[in-house]
Amino acid sequence: MWPRVNRAAEEFYCRLLQEFDEEKKGIHNDPFIYEADVQVQLISKGQPNPLKNILDENDVVFIVEKLPLEKEETSHVEEPQCEETAISDLSTGENVGPLALPVGRASLLLLLLNLFTHTVGLPACSNYILITYWCTHLRLHNVPFYFFTGQLIGLYTMAHNPNMTHLKIHHPVTALPPLWVRCDSSDPEGTCWLGAELVTTNSIAGIVLYTVSCKADKTYSVNLEDLKSSHKKRHHLSIVTTRGFAQYELFKSTALDDTLAASQTTITLDISWSPVDEILQSPPLSSTATLNLKVESGEPRGPLNHLQRELKFLLVLADGLRTGVSEWPEPLEVKSAVELVQEFLNDLNKLDEFGDSTKKDTEIVKHDSAAVDRSIECLFTVRGDLDFAEQLWFKMSGSVVSYQDLVKCFTLIIQSLQRGDIQPWLHSGSNSLLSKLIHQSYHGTMDTVTLSGTIPVKMLLEIGLDKLKKDFISFFIGQELASLNHLEYFITPSVDIQEQVYRVQKLHHILEILVSCMLFIKPQHELLFALTQSCIKYYRQNPLDEQHVFQLPVRPAAVKNLYQSEKPQKWKVEISGGQKKVKTVWQLSDSAPVDHLSFHKPDVSELTLNGSLEERIFFTNLVTCSQVHFK
C-alpha cells in the first residue's frame, strides 16, 4: 500500500508542476483529468477566479472539481463509480455549471502518510491537531484508512513536505500554487470548498488548510465576540485583530424588456476599515474606499446612443477596408443616402453663407460645469461647429447601405466641387482625401480620383475618424478633464488607419466610463479628473477590454451620501492573529458566492421593488483554517 501511495503523490505533484511550468511560459492548457472522474484546472492571475467572492483571491490557484458527465463518459479511463465518489447533483435545470465533489471524497484525503509521526517526521501534536481539526469539523468518525489513500489535498501536502525525502521528487521541491477542491456541501457544516496553501519563507515551512462553508437562509445569527473567541481558541491566541469590508452596489444594469438584454455595466464601492466593533457595522469615515467601474459600451439608458451608432458604423467601414466585405447596418433615414447628399449640396449652392446651413442640422452645445448631470443631455448632441465633411458624415453614416451608395454620393460631391457649385468650409488640421480635394477646389484645380476599390470606403472612414476625434476633444477639453497632450496617443494621425480606429474605440470606452460615473455617481470634478487620467494611462498601455474593472481610490466623506443609507451587497469581517495566513472570515451577501451549488431562491412576490437585505435570502460564508509547520 505504501509504495502505491508514494507513487500517487509523486505523479500528482509532477502533473501539477508541469501545468505550473507551462503557465509561466504562457502556455494555457485545458483542465487535465485525474482518476477518471476528477479534473484539475490552473487558474492564472487575472482570469475569473471562483474564490474571489469569498477570499478576494486573485492569484494563481489550482481548482479541483468533478469532471463534467459528457467528458467522463468519453474518458479512456473507466472505473466503477461507488457511492462515495458519486456526484451530489444539487443543480436544477439544463445549465449545470461547475460540478463539486462529495465532501467525503474531498476531505478523506487528509495527510495520508502525514498522519504518522514516524513516517512524516512531524511532532505528534501537529498530527493530532490536523486529525482533530478535519475529523471533528467534518464529523468523520471511524473512517477506514483506505479512504485516505489517493486523495488530492493529501497528495499535495505529502509531496511538499520536506520530511518526505524518500519520494522520487527533485529537491528542493518547487512550491506550487494553492490547491482548492469544490465540495458539494453535503455535510452538516455545509462545506463548499476545501483548500491547502503553502507557507513559505526561504523554503516550504508548513501548510494552511482551509474549510469554507456556505448556507442560505432568510435569517442569520452570529456574534462578533463568539467568532473572536473561536479564533483565539483554535489558534491558541490571546489577542486578535479585526478588519471589516463592505461592498455597495451603486449601479447595475438590468434588462429593459424581453428583447433588450442588460449590459454588463456595474459600479460598486468597496470600503475597508479596522477595527470592527460589531456585525454589519456601517463603515466609519476613516475607512479606505475604492470605486470600481466596469462599463460596457452601449448602455441602453445612457446618453451616448448616437455616438455609439457612429462608432459602430466607423467599425463597419474599417472592417470593410481590411477584409473587402462590409455588413451594412439598417438605415436610420427614410430617404436614401444619395437623396440626402443631393439635397445637402443643393442647399449649400443656394445659401450665401455656410454658417446658415449648420444651424439647420445642429444644436449649439451649452456647457454647464456647475450642473454636470443636467449638461450631459446636451454634451453629446451634434456639435454646433460641424464643418462640411462632418455634416456629410452625419448624413451618410445613418443612410449608406451599400458600396454603390458610397460611389454615387462621392461622385455627386466631386462633380459639385469641380463645377465650383460649392466652396465648403472645413476645420483646419484634416488630412483626409476629401479635405485635400476641397482645398484644391478653392484654387480651381483638383486631382483626378477614381472611385473604385477601397477608395470610397477609405474616404468616408477618414471623414468619420476626423469627426469623432473632434467630438472627443470637445468633451474632454470642454469639461477640463484632459489636455491635447493627454489625448495625443488616441487622436494622432501618424499611425495607420486601422490603428487610429482602434485608438478612437478606446477613447470612446473612456467616455462611456466617465458618463456612467457622471450619471450614477455625480462626482466632484476632482474625482472625475482623476478617473479620466487613470483610464487614459491604462489604455495607453493595454488593449481595449470592456470587462476590465477600473478602480479609483476615494475619500468616504466624498461619497458618504451613496452608501450611508444603503444596505451593503456584501459585508464581511476578517479575524486574524499570529501568522498572517491564519484567519477566520465571516461574510454576509445578497447573492450566492459559490457558483457550483444551487440554493432556494424566493419568489418575486417575496421581494419589494427596493428590497433590502432583510427582505431577501441571505448567504452566509464562514472560512476557518488551521496551520501546521513541517519543521
Side-chain angles (χ1 to χ4, degrees):
M1 179 171 63
W2 307 121
R4 182 162 60 89
V5 174
N6 291 338
R7 187 166 58 254
E10 295 163 358
E11 292 175 354
F12 187 56
Y13 171 82
C14 290
R15 191 68 183 85
L16 294 178
L17 180 61
Q18 177 184 343
E19 290 292 308
F20 185 48
D21 286 342
E22 290 183 351
E23 190 275 338
K24 288 191 293 186
K25 296 176 182 177
I27 302 173
H28 303 293
N29 298 321
D30 292 332
F32 70 84
I33 298 174
Y34 184 81
E35 289 191 343
D37 63 339
V38 174
Q39 71 177 15
V40 184
Q41 181 178 10
L42 181 62
I43 304 294
S44 302
K45 189 170 184 178
Q47 289 182 314
N49 193 312
L51 296 163
K52 185 172 179 59
N53 289 331
I54 300 171
L55 292 172
D56 296 328
E57 184 66 59
N58 196 34
D59 290 328
V60 179
V61 293
F62 284 106
I63 300 295
V64 181
E65 58 196 4
K66 175 73 175 178
L67 187 69
L69 296 179
E70 64 273 13
K71 290 186 179 180
E72 186 175 350
E73 291 171 359
T74 58
S75 173
H76 297 294
V77 182
E78 296 184 2
E79 287 188 2
Q81 191 176 28
C82 64
E83 181 180 354
E84 184 64 36
T85 63
I87 183 66
S88 175
D89 186 8
L90 298 182
S91 60
T92 58
E94 297 181 358
N95 186 17
V96 177
L99 299 179
L101 293 166
V103 173
R105 186 173 187 200
S107 60
L108 294 180
L109 40 73
L110 243 314
L111 306 186
L112 296 165
L113 301 180
N114 301 19
L115 295 172
F116 298 91
T117 304
H118 68 276
T119 305
V120 181
L122 290 175
C125 62
S126 297
N127 291 308
Y128 175 77
I129 292 172
L130 288 167
I131 297 169
T132 302
Y133 173 74
W134 286 94
C135 292
T136 300
H137 178 81
L138 299 172
R139 314 286 176 85
L140 304 176
H141 302 289
N142 302 319
V143 178
F145 177 74
Y146 71 87
F147 275 129
F148 286 81
T149 61
Q151 303 301 324
L152 302 180
I153 292 185
L155 298 178
Y156 177 89
T157 305
M158 185 176 172
H160 284 96
N161 191 334
N163 298 297
M164 306 294 287
T165 54
H166 60 283
L167 294 181
K168 296 178 180 179
I169 296 176
H170 177 73
H171 291 275
V173 175
T174 299
L176 294 175
L179 184 79
W180 285 87
V181 184
R182 293 185 190 269
C183 301
D184 65 3
S185 198
S186 59
D187 64 310
E189 302 297 330
T191 303
C192 57
W193 285 100
L194 294 177
E197 183 176 4
L198 298 172
V199 178
T200 58
T201 50
N202 295 327
S203 60
I204 300 173
I207 194 166
V208 177
L209 303 172
Y210 293 91
T211 301
V212 181
S213 63
C214 183
K215 293 184 178 181
D217 206 341
K218 290 186 180 180
T219 61
Y220 68 93
S221 177
V222 66
N223 182 279
L224 180 59
E225 291 304 317
D226 291 343
L227 290 174
K228 291 164 67 174
S229 297
S230 175
H231 185 86
K232 289 178 182 178
K233 182 178 180 180
R234 184 184 303 113
H235 301 292
H236 308 286
L237 300 169
S238 57
I239 299 175
V240 296
T241 59
T242 56
R243 186 165 189 82
F245 171 87
Q247 183 177 81
Y248 296 85
E249 188 175 78
L250 305 182
F251 173 78
K252 183 176 182 180
S253 181
T254 55
L256 298 181
D257 53 46
D258 294 337
T259 62
L260 189 61
S263 77
Q264 298 301 307
T265 296
T266 58
I267 303 176
T268 59
L269 181 67
D270 291 348
I271 307 181
S272 60
W273 69 97
S274 182
V276 178
D277 298 326
E278 59 182 351
I279 295 294
L280 290 186
Q281 173 188 356
S282 181
L285 294 180
S286 58
S287 304
T288 299
T290 302
L291 198 61
N292 308 292
L293 300 101
K294 183 178 75 170
V295 177
E296 180 182 28
S297 295
E299 166 60 41
R301 285 171 289 186
L304 298 179
N305 288 337
H306 80 272
L307 203 59
Q308 175 70 17
R309 179 187 59 78
E310 291 183 50
L311 177 65
K312 286 183 177 179
F313 188 72
L314 195 75
L315 295 175
V316 167
L317 295 174
D319 288 341
L321 191 63
R322 185 178 65 253
T323 65
V325 179
S326 297
E327 295 186 9
W328 304 98
E330 290 293 324
L332 297 178
E333 303 289 345
V334 176
K335 294 182 178 180
S336 70
V338 176
E339 289 177 299
L340 289 173
V341 170
Q342 184 63 69
E343 289 180 358
F344 178 49
L345 295 174
N346 291 341
D347 289 342
L348 287 180
N349 193 23
K350 295 176 184 178
L351 293 172
D352 294 329
E353 294 183 11
F354 176 77
D356 293 337
S357 66
T358 63
K359 295 177 182 178
K360 292 180 58 179
D361 299 300
T362 63
E363 297 178 19
I364 301 300
V365 178
K366 296 180 181 179
H367 299 282
D368 185 359
S369 58
V372 170
D373 56 318
R374 286 189 288 108
S375 69
I376 286 177
E377 295 182 0
C378 66
L379 280 176
F380 303 104
T381 54
V382 181
R383 285 183 288 109
D385 61 344
L386 294 188
D387 65 11
F388 170 79
E390 291 172 326
Q391 290 189 71
L392 193 64
W393 162 261
F394 197 74
K395 293 178 181 297
M396 293 179 67
S397 63
S399 60
V400 169
V401 294
S402 67
Y403 177 80
Q404 289 71 26
D405 278 354
L406 289 180
V407 174
K408 291 177 182 179
C409 288
F410 282 119
T411 298
L412 289 174
I413 295 165
I414 291 175
Q415 288 175 348
S416 293
L417 291 171
Q418 289 174 334
R419 291 194 300 263
D421 294 340
I422 57 173
Q423 286 193 328
W425 166 76
L426 292 176
H427 287 298
S428 61
S430 174
N431 294 314
S432 70
L433 176 56
L434 182 61
S435 296
K436 291 178 181 178
L437 292 176
I438 292 173
H439 284 296
Q440 289 173 357
S441 72
Y442 295 160
H443 306 287
T445 58
M446 290 175 57
D447 292 339
T448 300
V449 176
T450 303
L451 295 174
S452 61
T454 60
I455 291 177
V457 177
K458 186 177 181 182
M459 287 178 69
L460 189 57
L461 179 59
E462 290 174 339
I463 295 171
L465 268 173
D466 282 347
K467 193 265 183 185
L468 289 182
K469 287 177 182 178
K470 288 185 176 67
D471 286 341
F472 294 135
I473 291 171
S474 175
F475 170 78
F476 285 102
I477 293 181
Q479 292 297 305
E480 298 182 350
L481 296 174
S483 66
L484 279 176
N485 285 337
H486 293 139
L487 301 175
E488 175 62 23
Y489 165 84
F490 302 97
I491 62 176
T492 179
S494 61
V495 294
D496 69 75
I497 198 164
Q498 295 291 343
E499 178 64 19
Q500 289 184 56
V501 172
Y502 186 56
R503 294 186 184 187
V504 163
Q505 195 177 4
K506 287 183 178 183
L507 199 54
H508 178 84
H509 190 227
I510 295 176
L511 183 59
E512 291 268 10
I513 294 167
L514 296 177
V515 170
S516 295
C517 189
M518 293 163 73
L519 279 173
F520 306 114
I521 307 300
K522 298 178 175 60
Q524 296 177 349
H525 184 270
E526 177 187 1
L527 179 61
L528 204 60
F529 179 83
L531 177 60
T532 303
Q533 297 305 309
S534 175
C535 293
I536 287 175
K537 180 179 179 180
Y538 177 83
Y539 271 140
R540 279 176 175 168
Q541 303 169 353
N542 297 280
L544 178 69
D545 181 9
E546 293 192 0
Q547 297 303 309
H548 179 73
V549 178
F550 289 88
Q551 296 186 312
L552 185 69
V554 295
R555 292 179 294 105
V559 292
K560 64 180 180 179
N561 61 307
L562 298 175
Y563 75 88
Q564 285 192 330
S565 61
E566 299 294 328
K567 297 293 183 181
Q569 177 191 14
K570 179 168 44 176
W571 190 99
K572 73 179 178 183
V573 59
E574 181 179 298
I575 303 168
S576 58
Q579 296 295 327
K580 181 180 179 180
K581 292 182 180 296
V582 177
K583 56 190 175 183
T584 296
V585 180
W586 183 87
Q587 175 179 290
L588 180 73
S589 59
D590 64 356
S591 60
V594 180
D595 59 0
H596 61 266
L597 301 178
S598 63
F599 301 90
H600 163 72
K601 296 181 180 179
D603 296 331
V604 176
S605 59
E606 298 179 48
L607 303 179
T608 63
L609 182 62
N610 296 313
S612 64
L613 277 176
E614 286 80 11
E615 295 164 329
R616 301 175 183 170
I617 191 170
F618 293 105
F619 296 92
T620 57
N621 274 106
L622 181 63
V623 181
T624 58
C625 63
S626 180
Q627 181 172 353
V628 175
H629 296 278
F630 287 140
K631 296 181 181 180

